[in-house]
Amino acid sequence: MIAFIIRRLLQSLLVMGTVAFIAFSLFNFVGDPVNNMVGQEATEAEREYIRQLLGLDQPFYIQFMRFVGNVLQGDFGQSYRLGQPVLNVLGDRVPATLELVFVAAVMALVIGVPMGVYTGLKRYAISSKLMLTISLIGVSLPTFVIGIMLILVFSVWLNWLPSFGRGQTVNVGWDSNLFSLEGWKSMIMPAITLCLFQLTLVMRLVRAEMLEVLRTDYVKFARARGLSNRAVHFGHALKNTLMPVITITGLQVGGLIAFAIITETVFQWPGMGLLFLQAIQFVDIPVMATYLLLVALVFVIINLIVDMTYYFVDPRLRTEGKGGGH
Amino acid sequence: MGANCFGAAFIAAVLAVGTGVADAKTFRYSTTGDILGLDPYTNNEGPTNTMKSNIYEGLIHRSYDLSLSPGLATEWTQVDPLTWEFTLRQGVKFHNGNDFTADDVLVSYERIKQPASNMTFVVASIDKVEKVDDYKVRIVTKYPDPTLLLNMPNFWIMDKEWLEANNAMDIAEGASVSTYANLNTNGTGPFKVVEWQPDTQVVLEPNADWWGEPQHNLTQAIFKPIGNDATRVAALLSGEIDLMYPVPLQDIPRVNDDPTSTVMEGPELRTIFLGFDQHRDELMDMPGSGKNPFKDVRVRKAFYQAIDINLIQKRVMRGASRPAGLMIAPGINGYPKDLDVRFPYDPEASKQLLAEAGYPDGFPVTLDCPNDRYVNDEEICKAVVPMLKRVGIDIKLNAQTKSLHFQKIGRSGTPWETSFFMLGWTPGSYDAHNPLMQLMTVDGEGQGTWNSGRFSHPRVEELTDMIAGETDVDKRNAMIAEAMEIHRDQVGHITLHQQALAWGVRSDTVADVKQRPQNDVDLRYVTMK
Amino acid sequence: MADSKTIEKPIVEEHMGLFARIGDSFRRFLDGDIFYSFIHSPITVIAFVVTVICFVLAAFAPWLAPHNTNDIATLLLDNAELPPFWSSYTASWGEELHGRTEFLLGTDPDGRDVLSGIIFGMQVSLIVGFGSVILAMAIGITLGLISGYIGGKTDSVIMRIADIQLSFPAILVALLLFGGIKSVLPPAERQDLAIWVLILAIGVSNWVQFARTVRGSTMVEKSKEYVQAARVIGLHPILIMIRHVLPNVMGPVLVIATINLALAIITEATLSFLGVGVPPTEPSLGTLIRVGQQYLFSGFWWMTIFPALALVVLALSVNLLGDWLRDALNPKLR
């Protein structure tokens, strides 16, 4: 068991190292940070000086080695754009994004699961088909269009909700939107925008699982025992459905963080995604690298948890090592 | 053309100067990006410089109308062609209570000229700064510099004791190591920084001990950057902010229709132009041909005359631009008004010129264009492309984000990797010598950094060197005019226009704000209702 | 004579057999469950018809679109920002602009007919969508087959690569790849090749799902007796995989492909919002929306709403087809 975890951890480190390496090989193609930093009047000599200072005159693998060396000592460098330690800058942003992603994921589950159950049980009802079709619209429109439409309707026309930023936050160890009405007002539109895709996914997943579980002998047997529909559906069927749903939702957190880039840009939500996009536009290499490492870390951790859960739950997998994906 | 569009659109100017202000007046304003740091000598960039000028002051202040007035120096005299004496203002205190003296000026000079500083151009002509007494300094230049005073407003003065106490004397370039001075401030200016939350807000409050008489009536100012254009407009319309810029041109009527919002328009100093590769023997878009059509002035003129700038002004810029015949705008020192005349739009002449030059069927070329730098930059390029196509040029458009665009057309890496490009320029010193040196010449140390097409004319090179040291204003202006005229007639670049400023202002909360041509908000001049 | 006959006959028979097989499977398809479920699902039929219309419009855009908007020389600024034919508004310079039947759905800020722009844009979006899905499918199936069939070290290396790929969200991969690939191309070609770079970027970022599915099925098939038997009689492993394993995994692959097609079209639109993608002179649906949304607040709704509608209709139809296909091909649900 310990050997399994250690092996997985080593593999994870390898994954993260590779992620960072590939990232560095691509950074050169994002543009030239020096021009953004020094302004138009700087002479070529001054530009060259800055370039040397930042090590940008070195080939990318040397830059990469230096970054890794510093990271191993806990130093993630300084943001080119903001002139502050990357960890400080990112530290302020992580809660903003995690709260947004958390609320979006919860919304997706709370709305998606009942809808999935309903469409699974009433497979042939018109209402089910309607729900399935409408839910697809959510994944057929780009996120930014949804966000801008929401702003147009709820901020500009109706003036109900703030159009940008986190508004008033409450400090509960971190700056939080969850503990005040103002905070929730700022949160609601970005969260809806972000959750639509997951919502559709969760609903479809629950439906598919329900359809399968309802056909199993186990459920048929429960029915034969004379249990009520209600007991069968919620006690047996749904319970068996939820495990894969939660797993997939967990795995999708990475996707949510990625899509938060768009949502945060539209709503000027001061999270990691906005930071990353601005980092790309400014060619803020330390911030880009750290962000990608962080996303990789989140993914690695989630994957590890999922694998370990499977390991405990399903002894058959102990020999095979890992479960196939969806 | 367009003069009527620039009527001073200042909103009801009820100055609340001197009236006692009891109630809280918070001014919230926004633009596209956050400041890049608070160290006055790093990051020479528009919004960042504006923020610094609320906090720090120079010996001379540049007012909203670009006129120079006493700042930390009360008066100055020129002793000989190389030497200036500045008398310093007495009784001025930094935000932390330290006194301002000549030692602070000396230390600031030492600091601003460090290699990692991005503001060295401000003091480039200075040989040394000497202390005469505690309230008098002498500045000696390397050569007679007619633009010295013009640069002084950006020479922000820092506090010697504060720098020493916090070990912040060395500018580690804002990016590689963060210094104390990048995160903390201690100026003499009318505003103090309370808090900087990157990408969220900068909170400022007035400096109660400021030496001057405040013209503003603010009790607090909050700067909130919003990157997305649509979101920024929405924030203004819904009253979440009091002022924002730039208003996307297409949204000007929408903002003006709103009963509580209005758009202030005014001229900006930035000139937008297109440049050609006049150096390579073979155009990058014509590999194997061995030809570079842009070496022929007729081809350059054909491109110029194929572009209908008035139509672009009307449709793309919605009236918010001033078609330009020169590389410098009115208001720039040395601007020769009489020469600011464009070649007429004439596609037939254009075709004729191309035929004469030996390209009756045109030739392939790619236009490099930024899509997030200037007002409607991509839209202007998209309008230019069909116009050139109609005179037979096989033109393609490469519009990309500014980091990539400037890397491509700039000097680093593969230098000037462009055949045809868009660029905009505001002279940092507000003087005509700056664009001549940076854009229109190649010959000399530190010259032609952004002359990406490497336009070069022997007389212009000569004149530019002479202008640098000429202190006789009339002679100097005549030389500037001659250089500008040669450049115009040689079609060194296609000058397009000066873009207009467009600020969205809440008329229910803001009483007055002064719009400066460098497109920034100086909090000194903001009054609220 | 007799000899030649014995040689020819099997070939002919094989050919006959092939045609017969195709005809047979088509007949089976018409009689079968899949066609039955298709014809009895009106939503699916509508989706199918809409998708076909979109494909036809895209394929024959130069003949069907009222204006050739890809010929940028025809774009006149004087025709810019016209409203749809039934409406009018007062422009900022005071002129009353009336819609014209020449431009049914109005024009955009460049003077491009919105309807024609949508038709040509659909072409670009579909090329990007199909191109990237085919690429993702090719990479995914190949790696999945190799991974599943060979197993062992090869398998774990490929699956590790898949993990790394997954830990970069697709949109990020596409974003970084696009910049990377584009900058190594010769400058004169970059604009022409942008669309292929986009296909490469989106395609490469989406192969993992295919690979995982194919790998799983391959592992199952591999252990079956017929594959073992084929191996014993000395058939080449590649042949075994292509002839026996591939047909069995085509069902799920087709479903993933359909859904990924919609996803790729949306990804292209999203990338264009981030300022990355095809040149704005040959806009895709995403580019049209990106440009149009800047004019939404100023009341030029037709520049965004119509392209957005077209995108929704297209993506929704493809998604619905994918949905139906998933259910129809799932034997457990019949």
Side-chain angles (χ1 to χ4, degrees):
Chain A
M1 175 62 209
I2 290 171
F4 169 77
I5 291 179
I6 290 175
R7 204 175 68 223
R8 288 296 311 205
L9 279 176
L10 285 178
Q11 282 177 345
S12 305
L13 272 180
L14 193 70
V15 168
M16 290 179 62
T18 319
V19 164
F21 185 76
I22 296 171
F24 263 84
S25 70
L26 291 174
F27 287 156
N28 279 352
F29 303 124
V30 183
D32 178 17
V34 174
N35 189 50
N36 293 323
M37 290 161 62
V38 300
Q40 63 175 21
E41 308 290 347
T43 62
E44 193 48 32
E46 287 169 340
R47 286 165 204 274
E48 211 40 58
Y49 178 81
I50 304 285
R51 207 164 276 130
Q52 281 171 19
L53 211 63
L54 302 177
L56 293 170
D57 51 338
Q58 308 282 338
F60 81 87
Y61 48 89
I62 306 251
Q63 293 181 40
F64 167 73
M65 299 290 272
R66 206 152 58 178
F67 177 76
V68 171
N70 289 338
V71 164
L72 291 179
Q73 294 164 31
D75 176 12
F76 287 82
Q78 306 283 327
S79 160
Y80 292 173
R81 185 170 66 95
L82 298 162
Q84 301 191 13
V86 171
L87 281 190
N88 287 9
V89 177
L90 211 58
D92 293 343
R93 309 307 179 84
V94 172
T97 296
L98 288 188
E99 276 193 3
L100 183 62
V101 165
F102 173 74
V103 171
V106 168
M107 273 168 70
L109 283 177
V110 167
I111 305 171
V113 171
M115 278 172 80
V117 171
Y118 181 85
T119 48
L121 292 179
K122 308 217 163 187
R123 202 179 149 197
Y124 298 101
I126 297 290
S127 54
S128 291
K129 300 210 159 152
L130 211 62
M131 255 189 235
L132 282 170
T133 309
I134 290 173
S135 76
L136 274 180
I137 295 178
V139 296
S140 304
L141 251 185
T143 320
F144 71 94
V145 178
I146 298 173
I148 286 166
M149 296 284 183
L150 286 177
I151 292 178
L152 184 67
V153 174
F154 292 101
S155 298
V156 178
W157 288 352
L158 299 173
N159 211 351
W160 286 353
L161 298 168
S163 57
F164 76 101
R166 292 181 78 182
Q168 215 57 43
T169 52
V170 179
N171 195 305
V172 288
W174 69 93
D175 284 331
S176 174
N177 275 63
L178 305 178
F179 298 92
S180 67
L181 183 64
E182 288 302 309
W184 277 101
K185 272 178 143 180
S186 297
M187 169 80 89
I188 192 78
M189 286 202 299
I192 289 177
T193 310
L194 187 57
C195 92
L196 277 182
F197 192 86
Q198 308 301 316
L199 174 64
T200 311
L201 191 83
V202 168
M203 173 184 152
R204 274 149 196 281
L205 205 67
V206 172
R207 172 175 172 271
E209 293 288 337
M210 282 296 276
L211 290 178
E212 286 208 10
V213 173
L214 284 176
R215 299 179 61 86
T216 55
D217 294 342
Y218 157 77
V219 168
K220 285 182 183 155
F221 184 66
R223 243 188 252 276
R225 280 202 330 230
L227 289 177
S228 71
N229 264 350
R230 202 187 155 77
V232 173
H233 294 159
F234 294 98
H236 292 71
L238 183 59
K239 210 170 73 186
N240 278 297
T241 311
L242 281 184
M243 186 60 200
V245 169
I246 288 171
T247 313
I248 296 288
T249 314
L251 285 174
Q252 285 291 324
V253 165
L256 276 177
I257 290 177
F259 270 95
I261 293 176
I262 317 289
T263 313
E264 289 179 5
T265 305
V266 172
F267 291 96
Q268 192 71 26
W269 187 264
M272 300 190 299
L274 182 64
L275 184 70
F276 180 70
L277 198 72
Q278 284 168 332
I280 291 185
Q281 282 161 356
F282 197 89
V283 199
D284 194 343
I285 292 176
V287 170
M288 285 195 279
T290 311
Y291 172 87
L292 290 174
L293 270 189
L294 198 69
V295 171
L297 180 70
V298 168
F299 179 83
V300 159
I301 290 174
I302 291 171
N303 238 11
L304 198 63
I305 294 172
V306 169
D307 280 358
M308 277 166 58
T309 321
Y310 279 147
Y311 187 91
F312 284 115
V313 172
D314 191 345
R316 280 174 304 173
L317 287 172
R318 284 183 203 176
T319 46
E320 214 188 305
K322 68 186 296 301
H326 247 263
Chain B
M1 184 83 200
N4 57 337
C5 308
F6 286 134
F10 298 157
I11 45 165
V14 189
L15 282 178
V17 183
T19 53
V21 184
D23 52 338
K25 297 211 185 291
T26 299
F27 174 66
R28 300 153 303 168
Y29 67 114
S30 178
T31 186
T32 49
D34 199 5
I35 58 166
L36 303 178
L38 289 166
D39 190 323
Y41 306 150
T42 59
N43 301 313
N44 171 34
E45 184 251 7
T48 312
N49 286 350
T50 320
M51 185 55 74
K52 292 173 200 164
S53 73
N54 290 319
I55 305 157
Y56 291 95
E57 291 174 299
L59 297 179
I60 302 179
H61 174 63
R62 192 192 308 278
S63 188
Y64 60 87
D65 59 358
L66 299 185
S67 64
L68 300 181
S69 58
L72 287 178
T74 50
E75 56 188 65
W76 47 89
T77 51
Q78 189 168 15
V79 182
D80 62 56
L82 295 179
T83 314
W84 292 77
E85 279 190 358
F86 288 80
T87 309
L88 306 184
R89 193 178 293 278
Q90 304 204 6
V92 174
K93 288 194 184 307
F94 285 96
H95 294 162
N96 67 353
N98 287 356
D99 284 324
F100 160 69
T101 64
D103 289 329
D104 297 317
V105 179
L106 264 59
V107 143
S108 297
Y109 173 65
E110 288 306 316
R111 194 168 187 273
I112 198 174
K113 69 181 175 118
Q114 288 175 11
S117 161
N118 298 149
M119 302 299 287
T120 47
F121 70 97
V122 169
V123 295
S125 66
I126 298 180
D127 183 38
K128 58 188 173 200
V129 178
E130 293 164 348
K131 175 178 170 180
V132 179
D133 61 43
D134 270 356
Y135 291 101
K136 182 165 271 187
V137 294
R138 186 180 298 133
I139 292 181
V140 183
T141 57
K142 296 171 193 160
Y143 48 86
D145 181 9
T147 62
L148 180 76
L149 297 182
L150 290 174
N151 276 319
M152 282 295 111
N154 285 341
F155 176 27
W156 289 293
I157 304 301
M158 301 182 80
D159 178 17
K160 179 171 187 259
E161 289 77 25
W162 182 76
L163 285 172
E164 284 167 355
N166 295 300
N167 202 14
M169 197 48 211
D170 288 332
I171 306 173
E173 155 58 30
S176 63
V177 182
S178 68
T179 62
Y180 185 80
N182 198 41
L183 303 174
N184 300 277
T185 57
N186 182 35
T188 58
F191 285 87
K192 298 194 263 196
V193 175
V194 180
E195 183 193 23
W196 175 29
Q197 272 181 288
D199 295 325
T200 305
Q201 58 182 17
V202 181
V203 181
L204 300 128
E205 62 182 32
N207 172 14
D209 301 323
W210 191 47
W211 53 269
E213 188 67 40
Q215 289 184 40
H216 66 84
N217 66 347
L218 308 180
T219 54
Q220 193 183 40
I222 305 178
F223 171 70
K224 295 168 171 251
I226 304 177
N228 190 285
D229 280 344
T231 314
R232 200 169 56 252
V233 174
L236 179 78
L237 295 178
S238 60
E240 292 163 75
I241 50 177
D242 303 305
L243 184 151
M244 69 88 162
Y245 66 95
V247 182
L249 297 178
Q250 63 274 11
D251 289 333
I252 290 177
R254 172 81 178 81
V255 175
N256 275 329
D257 283 350
D258 188 282
T260 52
S261 301
T262 182
V263 177
M264 288 172 74
E265 288 185 47
E268 194 182 340
L269 294 176
R270 174 172 284 127
T271 304
I272 306 290
F273 52 86
L274 303 175
F276 322 91
D277 177 8
Q278 293 159 60
H279 179 78
R280 284 187 184 79
D281 289 325
E282 182 181 275
L283 203 63
M284 285 196 308
D285 292 282
M286 300 166 71
S289 70
K291 286 184 188 167
N292 181 352
F294 289 137
K295 281 182 180 285
D296 188 332
V297 64
R298 288 172 296 189
V299 173
R300 303 201 293 269
K301 195 167 178 193
F303 271 55
Y304 192 126
Q305 294 200 288
I307 297 171
D308 186 352
I309 195 69
N310 291 328
L311 190 59
I312 291 178
Q313 195 247 3
K314 177 183 168 194
R315 301 303 298 249
V316 180
M317 301 303 286
R318 284 152 227 276
S321 70
R322 178 191 166 280
L326 293 176
M327 295 288 279
I328 48 173
I332 298 297
N333 197 31
Y335 167 74
K337 189 168 187 303
D338 299 343
L339 297 175
D340 197 352
V341 183
R342 286 182 55 89
F343 296 115
Y345 165 63
D346 189 346
E348 287 314 311
S350 176
K351 280 180 199 158
Q352 183 78 38
L353 283 165
L354 282 173
E356 281 171 23
Y359 301 97
D361 302 319
F363 56 90
V365 67
T366 303
L367 172 58
D368 288 306
C369 192
N371 62 14
D372 52 5
R373 181 66 187 88
Y374 311 115
V375 176
N376 280 5
D377 40 14
E378 186 179 349
E379 285 71 19
I380 297 167
C381 290
K382 281 198 295 179
V384 164
V385 164
M387 292 173 180
L388 288 171
K389 194 106 181 171
R390 282 195 283 273
V391 297
I393 304 297
D394 177 15
I395 185 165
K396 292 181 193 113
L397 175 58
N398 177 26
Q400 52 190 350
T401 182
K402 54 182 182 246
S403 299
L404 289 166
H405 176 71
F406 290 123
Q407 183 183 41
K408 188 162 190 276
I409 74 165
R411 191 169 195 163
S412 58
T414 315
W416 302 300
E417 202 185 1
T418 180
S419 303
F420 188 33
F421 61 93
M422 173 187 263
L423 186 61
W425 196 265
T426 310
S429 59
Y430 303 95
D431 182 81
H433 178 254
N434 172 287
L436 280 169
M437 189 179 101
Q438 297 276 31
L439 307 171
M440 293 143 80
T441 52
V442 293
D443 198 13
E445 174 70 25
Q447 251 165 273
T449 304
W450 288 102
N451 186 357
S452 302
R454 277 158 294 168
F455 165 80
S456 181
H457 186 279
R459 180 65 183 155
V460 176
E461 299 279 354
E462 193 181 3
L463 283 165
T464 302
D465 293 340
M466 284 154 64
I467 291 164
E470 180 58 64
T471 46
D472 183 306
V473 176
D474 289 339
K475 271 195 205 159
R476 189 169 189 268
N477 284 352
M479 287 192 274
I480 291 172
E482 189 187 345
M484 290 291 165
E485 187 171 18
I486 294 171
H487 175 272
R488 187 196 63 183
D489 292 343
Q490 287 294 314
V491 198
H493 296 81
I494 301 177
T495 48
L496 294 176
H497 55 237
Q498 279 96 38
Q499 60 195 33
L501 304 176
W503 294 6
V505 185
R506 292 291 293 187
S507 43
D508 55 345
T509 56
V510 179
D512 185 34
V513 50
K514 292 282 189 270
Q515 196 169 33
R516 304 203 294 183
Q518 59 265 51
N519 202 12
D520 56 18
V521 178
D522 192 331
L523 294 173
R524 285 175 183 82
Y525 307 113
V526 178
T527 50
M528 304 278 288
K529 282 181 180 162
Chain C
M1 281 267 276
D3 278 344
S4 70
K5 254 188 183 175
T6 49
I7 294 167
E8 275 169 25
K9 203 180 168 191
I11 299 173
V12 173
E13 259 184 5
E14 193 161 85
H15 277 262
M16 297 254 303
L18 189 66
F19 288 125
R21 276 222 301 270
I22 291 172
D24 193 39
S25 52
F26 187 65
R27 217 172 303 122
R28 251 187 296 147
F29 173 74
L30 287 182
D31 295 339
D33 295 338
I34 295 185
F35 186 71
Y36 178 86
S37 91
F38 175 75
I39 212 77
H40 282 83
S41 164
I43 292 178
T44 313
V45 175
I46 295 171
F48 180 76
V49 171
V50 171
T51 311
V52 168
I53 292 175
C54 289
F55 284 10
V56 168
L57 279 176
F60 300 100
W63 296 276
L64 295 177
H67 301 265
N68 184 0
T69 47
N70 273 8
D71 179 7
I72 43 177
T74 63
L75 301 183
L76 295 173
L77 272 183
D78 279 320
N79 290 338
E81 294 165 11
L82 293 172
F85 74 94
W86 62 86
S87 63
S88 65
Y89 74 101
T90 311
S92 55
W93 56 91
E95 193 184 330
E96 181 82 0
L97 291 182
H98 294 278
R100 303 188 211 148
T101 44
E102 187 191 346
F103 305 111
L104 284 180
L105 302 182
T107 58
D108 76 357
D110 304 336
R112 178 180 288 105
D113 175 40
V114 169
L115 177 61
S116 311
I118 289 173
I119 294 173
F120 279 100
M122 207 169 263
Q123 188 181 40
V124 177
S125 292
L126 279 171
I127 291 175
V128 172
F130 270 107
S132 58
V133 167
I134 289 170
L135 181 65
M137 212 153 87
I139 302 175
I141 290 177
T142 313
L143 291 182
L145 282 176
I146 294 173
S147 192
Y149 193 83
I150 299 175
K153 275 258 171 355
T154 318
D155 177 39
S156 45
V157 167
I158 291 177
M159 282 302 114
R160 265 326 97 189
I161 295 174
D163 275 357
I164 294 170
Q165 168 90 67
L166 272 187
S167 62
F168 275 111
I171 192 103
L172 286 186
V173 181
L175 198 64
L176 291 172
L177 274 181
F178 186 82
I181 304 168
K182 206 175 161 194
S183 60
V184 297
L185 295 172
E189 319 275 314
R190 275 181 209 165
Q191 292 318 101
D192 296 332
L193 294 176
I195 187 168
W196 304 108
V197 177
L198 201 58
I199 288 174
L200 200 60
I202 299 178
V204 168
S205 60
N206 279 324
W207 61 273
V208 175
Q209 230 186 345
F210 291 102
R212 289 199 161 181
T213 308
V214 172
R215 169 181 174 269
S217 308
T218 310
M219 285 168 79
V220 174
E221 296 294 323
K222 188 177 79 174
S223 55
K224 288 194 179 154
E225 277 167 19
Y226 74 94
V227 178
Q228 308 279 8
R231 211 190 305 203
V232 169
I233 63 168
L235 276 178
H236 194 277
I238 293 176
L239 213 60
I240 301 175
M241 287 196 266
I242 291 174
R243 286 191 66 164
H244 299 288
V245 182
L246 204 51
N248 287 306
V249 298
M250 275 332 268
V253 165
L254 200 62
V255 173
I256 298 175
T258 319
I259 289 170
N260 268 17
L261 175 62
L263 205 62
I265 292 170
I266 300 288
T267 305
E268 188 277 328
T270 308
L271 281 176
S272 96
F273 174 70
L274 299 178
V276 166
V278 293
T281 43
E282 286 157 42
S284 64
L285 282 182
T287 319
L288 287 174
I289 298 171
R290 192 256 299 177
V291 171
Q293 58 97 12
Q294 299 167 11
Y295 298 81
L296 196 57
F297 289 178
S298 26
F300 304 158
W301 55 272
W302 58 91
M303 298 175 193
T304 337
I305 300 296
F306 290 128
L309 270 180
L311 183 67
V312 174
V313 165
L314 174 62
L316 185 62
S317 305
V318 173
N319 267 326
L320 282 169
L321 281 182
D323 234 27
W324 162 77
L325 209 56
R326 189 204 328 247
D327 281 3
L329 289 179
N330 187 348
K332 292 183 203 150
L333 293 182
R334 286 204 201 118

